Amino acid sequence: MAIFSKTCEYAIRAVFFIAHKTATGSRVGIKDIAQGIDSPEHFLAKILQDLSRKGLISSIKGPHGGFYIDTPALSRPLSEIVEAVDGNSLFVGCALGLKQCSEINPCPLHNEFKAIRNRIHAMLATTTIGSFNEELMEGLLSLKK
Amino acid sequence: MAIFSKTCEYAIRAVFFIAHKTATGSRVGIKDIAQGIDSPEHFLAKILQDLSRKGLISSIKGPHGGFYIDTPALSRPLSEIVEAVDGNSLFVGCALGLKQCSEINPCPLHNEFKAIRNRIHAMLATTTIGSFNEELMEGLLSLKK
DNA sequence: TTAATAAAAGATATTTTTGTCTTTTATTTT
DNA sequence: AAAATAAAAGACAAAAATATCTTTTATTAA
Ligand code: FES
Ligand code: FES
């Protein structure tokens, strides 16, 4: 199992892609995004529609339209994307699937896993949507293949 | 998303359950295991058949038969269970679903995620199947609800 | 050696995830 | 106003994960 769903993987990659492509005020179309992150176009469209409805990204229809991320949104944490798509189970759920992760009824992995879970959350909470724009422009980081 | 598949969650819980129930040489039936870890009986049966075929647990048919884990197997790491069920993608896969996680073509989350992934692997590699037997017997840890 | 027990195996069903295709709506340009 | 563009929405399809039910095989006990 991967740590994120396919939907979430595409969402994060797309958001990074849109952020770095539109940091200068332009827009980018679904076709470009899909090929830029190597994802199925129509499936990605659904995901972006959802993120757009939730206000995490923006879009405009018609000629010269497309998706974009405005400057204030660039400083929002990645955890908001993950929560919007996969919910918060990764941040609060039990490693072994107990209905409720708790200190009073812990599973065997609870203590170790709690620390790992916190680290995952810290990574996503401290990483902003725009934080890799420079590295992406310089081609130091990859969003496909 | 959870970190393990349902199948893997059931597998780990069942293995801990069998380990602590059969540490003294007895056996435990699928019905008891399923109710002891609150899982669907027939689905769990498939999972245990698989683990049994792979030699991670043992079983005997017929009256007084059932599943058990012998003493040497008690010291095998939990990572073997996870690998048998979910494969090794959790230990080597890219956080963002790139085909290949690598230093030369890293995704934005690579550095942070690599450390997290290593910690997950460390947790599973250092935890043995029998390591929680005492706490389970004392009722300090839970495998259901 | 027959009956009972319990896992193994096989077949089928349901749900969720992932993916595709078509139509509609909003916006812009001509 | 008409045509072109591009996202939004809707309908549908395929694949994978999860779950259930039935039959078979191995073992034991009577
Ligand atoms: S109870 Fe399982 S991780 Fe907390
Ligand atoms: S390339 Fe994504 S985690 Fe290594």
Side-chain angles (χ1 to χ4, degrees), chain A residues 1 94-100, chain B residues 1-14 37-40 43-44 47 85-86:
Chain A
M1 283 265 297
C94 168
L96 299 187
L98 301 193
K99 294 217 175 61
Q100 166 97 334
Chain B
M1 282 263 298
I3 195 135
F4 300 124
S5 66
K6 272 282 154 208
T7 300
C8 194
E9 290 176 356
Y10 293 148
I12 296 174
R13 274 154 54 194
I37 70 167
D38 190 39
S39 78
F43 186 49
L44 182 62
I47 300 169
V85 174
D86 277 352

Side-chain angles (χ1 to χ4, degrees), chain A residues 20-141:
Chain A
H20 116 263
K21 284 285 181 186
T22 68
T24 55
S26 59
R27 283 140 206 177
V28 60
I30 184 69
K31 231 163 238 173
D32 284 352
I33 305 170
Q35 94 105 27
I37 69 169
D38 190 39
S39 78
E41 178 181 328
H42 297 284
F43 187 48
L44 181 62
K46 295 293 180 194
I47 299 169
L48 295 188
Q49 279 162 32
D50 187 41
L51 293 180
S52 179
R53 250 181 270 113
K54 288 174 174 159
L56 292 165
I57 64 178
S58 307
S59 71
I60 289 184
K61 286 182 180 179
H64 300 110
F67 295 91
Y68 65 100
I69 293 176
D70 52 39
T71 314
L74 285 178
S75 47
R76 296 171 79 167
L78 213 56
S79 49
E80 289 192 35
I81 305 290
V82 173
E83 280 212 65
V85 174
D86 276 354
N88 69 346
S89 61
L90 187 59
F91 308 143
V92 304
C94 168
L96 299 187
L98 301 193
K99 294 217 175 61
Q100 166 97 334
C101 166
S102 79
E103 301 290 339
I104 56 168
N105 201 50
C107 76
L109 299 185
H110 177 78
N111 281 321
E112 258 303 297
F113 185 66
K114 193 173 52 169
I116 290 169
R117 218 175 45 185
N118 285 344
R119 180 141 185 200
I120 293 172
H121 186 260
M123 167 179 78
L124 297 169
T126 62
T127 302
T128 68
I129 288 174
S131 47
F132 294 108
N133 278 2
E134 298 85 43
E135 291 92 333
L136 285 168
M137 283 188 287
E138 295 166 32
L140 299 175
L141 295 174

